[in-house]
Amino acid sequence: MEQNKDLNQIDIPLAKRTHLNNPNSILLKKSLIFSPFLFLLFSIFTLRLIRNIEIGSLGDLNFQAQINHDHRILGHLPYAEIPKEKLVLIAPNIEVHIDMRDSLLKMRDEAKNDGIYLVFLSGYRSISLQKEIFYSLKSFRNQEAAERARVSAPPGYSEHSTGFAIDIGDATQRETDFETEFENTDAFRWLKKNAAKFHFKLSFNKNNKYIDYEPWHWRYEGSIEALKVFESSNREL
């Protein structure tokens, strides 16, 4: 009995559960707390990245489509040859599209009234003639195709084949025909000021990166057909 009594009087220490401050455990808890927020940020970033990639790919496709649609050769856009029945004679050996005849002649008459004498140098040129100019005459200068294209379009790529292009000179300064010096004539200054009234536009200005400056070369944009012909060229501007 005494032995049992002694046992009952012995204090048996209770087991105590202790918690260690484990850094890894704390980090895990914080990660669990912030994980929904981090997941949301990651999702937004991923969606934006995918969207940017899709937009970039679409832009590349559109750019490539423009290049493919352009069909430019040596800086020149393609132009179809006008049917013969749409050509009219305005001067010896010079034909133009019938749509521009009246405006062209009226422009020359008004210039004359202002004391300016315009002379027509070249109008419609067939693809066959353009081929001779580009491959035969220009080759005599020992120029490569890219060099020739700066001053003359390849066959099938000349505005002259449309009948809507006209080369103009000053009748009082014929030495400036087809020369950049034409820009210093009274005829050119008059055209710069008045040609738009008759729906004529300078085709190759000083800012053209493909083709040399041609102050004598003007094109007509006063009809629906003409606007359709030069739509690609004007879209680039």
Side-chain angles (χ1 to χ4, degrees), residues 5-212:
K5 181 178 179 181
D6 292 337
L7 290 174
N8 291 333
Q9 289 178 349
I10 296 174
D11 292 330
I12 300 176
L14 297 176
K16 294 183 180 181
R17 183 173 298 171
T18 60
H19 300 274
L20 297 176
N21 292 329
N22 191 330
N24 292 332
S25 177
I26 296 173
L27 180 62
L28 178 60
K29 286 182 179 181
K30 289 183 177 181
S31 299
L32 290 174
I33 293 173
F34 290 104
S35 60
F37 178 70
L38 293 174
F39 178 76
L40 179 61
L41 287 178
F42 178 76
S43 299
I44 294 173
F45 174 78
T46 303
L47 289 174
R48 287 185 176 180
L49 179 61
I50 293 173
R51 182 183 178 189
N52 289 338
I53 292 173
E54 290 177 345
I55 292 174
S57 299
L58 182 60
D60 291 341
L61 289 174
N62 288 337
F63 178 71
Q64 188 63 39
Q66 289 176 2
I67 292 177
N68 293 337
H69 178 72
D70 198 32
H71 301 298
R72 189 186 295 274
I73 287 182
L74 298 176
H76 293 267
L77 291 166
Y79 294 105
E81 187 171 342
I82 181 180
K84 295 289 186 181
E85 60 269 20
K86 290 186 177 182
L87 291 171
V88 292
L89 194 68
I90 59 165
N93 301 317
I94 297 180
E95 295 177 299
V96 297
H97 196 293
I98 190 172
D99 287 357
M100 68 179 267
R101 175 185 58 187
D102 291 345
S103 291
L104 183 60
L105 297 180
K106 186 176 180 181
M107 183 170 70
R108 183 179 64 179
D109 291 341
E110 184 162 321
K112 186 177 179 180
N113 291 336
D114 291 337
I116 304 298
Y117 298 92
L118 304 180
V119 58
F120 303 139
L121 307 176
S122 180
Y124 162 77
R125 290 203 295 264
S126 67
I127 291 179
S128 177
L129 177 58
Q130 194 67 28
K131 181 178 181 181
E132 182 180 351
I133 293 172
F134 187 79
Y135 287 110
S136 299
L137 298 181
K138 297 296 180 181
S139 65
F140 291 153
R141 299 180 183 178
N142 196 29
Q143 293 177 325
E144 294 181 355
E147 293 178 282
R148 292 180 231 159
R150 295 293 309 180
V151 295
S152 183
Y157 291 79
S158 173
E159 291 184 357
H160 283 283
S161 298
T162 70
F164 287 121
I166 184 75
D167 292 333
I168 302 175
D170 189 320
T172 65
Q173 293 181 257
R174 300 304 303 272
E175 70 278 4
T176 63
D177 290 356
F178 300 110
E179 301 290 341
T180 55
E181 286 75 20
F182 175 66
E183 71 174 354
N184 299 319
T185 66
D186 291 336
F188 179 75
R189 284 187 284 269
W190 188 93
L191 287 168
K192 286 282 287 184
K193 183 179 178 180
N194 298 282
K197 293 190 299 183
F198 303 94
H199 311 293
F200 285 91
K201 175 182 178 179
L202 187 66
S203 291
F204 308 120
N205 58 36
K206 292 181 179 179
N207 297 324
N208 193 298
K209 60 182 179 180
Y210 299 110
I211 303 166
D212 285 351

